[in-house]
């Protein structure tokens, strides 16, 4: 703690920024596997390191709404 503000040279240990699509794809896959209830422990650890909770919540809510709408449509077609 020397009172200095960290500069760009202090970011050398950080990972480079990922493209937004990669994070979204990883989130979609993680939520899909979670809905099915299957996921490897090693893949779970990778997901935990790369995706944000906000993305998981948003994608999860959209996926559940889509699943409910698909089930309602299926029931309407059968009845």
């Amino acid at each position: 703690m020397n009172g200095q503000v960290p500069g760009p040279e202090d970011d050398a240990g950080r990972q480079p920024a990922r493209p937004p699509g990669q994070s979204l794809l990883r989130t979609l896959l993680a939520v899909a596997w979670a809905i099915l209830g299957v996921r490897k422990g090693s893949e779970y650890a990778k997901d935990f390191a790369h995706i944000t909770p906000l993305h998981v919540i948003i994608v999860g809510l959209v996926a559940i709404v889509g699943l409910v709408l698909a089930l309602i449509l299926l029931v309407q077609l059968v009845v």
Side-chain angles (χ1 to χ4, degrees), residues 2-3 14 46 54 72-73 79:
N2 56 6
R14 287 189 165 174
K46 288 180 187 176
L54 181 62
I72 290 172
L73 178 64
V79 173

Side-chain angles (χ1 to χ4, degrees), residues 28-45:
L28 288 171
L29 290 174
V31 169
W33 285 116
I35 289 173
L36 292 175
V38 292
R39 193 69 170 154
K40 287 183 181 178
S42 60
E43 290 297 318
Y44 174 76

Side-chain angles (χ1 to χ4, degrees), residues 34-67:
I35 289 173
L36 292 175
V38 292
R39 193 69 170 154
K40 287 183 181 178
S42 60
E43 290 297 318
Y44 174 76
K46 288 180 187 176
D47 290 339
F48 187 72
H50 289 99
I51 59 179
T52 64
L54 181 62
H55 289 159
V56 173
I57 291 168
I58 292 170
V59 170
L61 289 174
V62 169
I64 294 300
V65 167
L67 179 64

